Amino acid sequence: LVTGELNPGSRARDWLRREISDIKDDDIQRVTISHPDGEVLVVSKKDPGQSNYDVEDIPVDMELRRDTIANDTGRVLSNLLLDDVRKAASDDFPETDTISAVFEGFEGFSVRVDLVEDGDTNWVRFRGDASSIKQGVYDDDGTPDESKEWATIIDELNSRSGGWVFQLPGYEVSGIKKRMEDMVREPEGDGV
């Protein structure tokens, strides 16, 4: 009397709400990545309509590998999906192994993402901060911008992620593993 196939899935992600965050890169003004060895990489936009992120403090006599090289870093929080989840433990993110990225929004919010690699596995935690959200933001035509309730979005992120660490596929977090050497190269010769 019943037709069809029941396929409940065999992986944890088949049973979980996989969405963690969906903050678009147009909303992100600056990303500051701090590596455990002390290297800091900063990418930023001057305004939301800017096509590509700028890489700050490019070394003298170097150039970007391509104009779009930093965009993956700015997109990390967009459509972010988990593979697995576990309860957070106090020793999950040792200072000597943790990459930290702080995403600052044009509207004043921020999201900190801590990342630890365990072999081929990437574990992350999230902490959002809505305490500096700008009040009275207006569109170009002078009308109040009510398109996004950032305090609610950040509160939901914190509620969903508090007390948990998430396993993410490598492609989801590759943007926050970047270093300056990944972004720049020596200028190409002029062919003379």
Side-chain angles (χ1 to χ4, degrees):
L1 297 175
V2 177
T3 61
E5 181 180 329
L6 178 62
N7 184 359
S10 59
R11 297 175 292 185
R13 73 182 199 176
D14 297 328
W15 290 84
L16 296 170
R17 177 179 173 196
R18 295 187 65 208
E19 302 83 16
I20 299 171
S21 167
D22 193 18
I23 300 173
K24 304 296 185 207
D25 58 313
D26 289 344
D27 297 315
I28 301 296
Q29 181 175 20
R30 168 173 288 179
V31 183
T32 303
I33 301 169
S34 302
H35 290 273
D37 63 3
E39 182 179 344
V40 175
L41 177 69
V42 179
V43 304
S44 62
K45 286 184 177 182
K46 292 175 183 65
D47 61 72
Q50 185 176 331
S51 299
N52 300 314
Y53 282 87
D54 295 319
V55 177
E56 296 185 10
D57 300 321
I58 295 175
V60 176
D61 298 329
M62 299 295 272
E63 67 180 15
L64 291 179
R65 293 180 182 269
R66 61 184 186 283
D67 291 342
T68 61
I69 192 79
N71 291 351
D72 286 343
T73 299
R75 286 189 194 111
V76 168
L77 296 178
S78 178
N79 198 28
L80 193 59
L81 302 175
L82 65 88
D83 274 349
D84 202 354
V85 63
R86 71 174 190 228
K87 276 291 215 188
S90 60
D91 60 348
D92 282 337
F93 294 88
E95 218 174 279
T96 55
D97 298 325
T98 301
I99 299 171
S100 294
V102 177
F103 294 79
E104 299 172 61
F106 284 100
E107 304 296 329
F109 67 88
S110 67
V111 176
R112 179 180 171 134
V113 180
D114 293 323
L115 165 70
V116 167
E117 294 178 274
D118 183 9
D120 292 335
T121 306
N122 302 287
W123 290 99
V124 297
R125 70 179 171 193
F126 301 88
R127 287 184 301 242
D129 182 1
S131 63
S132 297
I133 289 178
K134 297 175 183 174
Q135 302 297 318
V137 176
Y138 295 89
D139 289 332
D140 293 337
D141 64 0
T143 59
D145 179 6
E146 299 173 4
S147 60
K148 296 189 179 170
E149 295 291 332
W150 286 110
T152 302
I153 292 168
I154 297 302
D155 185 53
E156 288 173 358
L157 173 67
N158 286 335
S159 294
R160 195 166 41 248
S161 62
W164 300 95
V165 295
F166 302 93
Q167 181 186 343
L168 299 177
Y171 68 86
E172 293 272 22
V173 293
S174 64
I176 58 177
K177 294 180 183 181
K178 301 285 186 192
R179 293 178 173 270
M180 184 62 76
E181 67 186 25
D182 300 317
M183 302 285 186
V184 298
R185 66 178 179 201
E186 292 182 4
E188 294 182 347
D190 57 8
V192 178

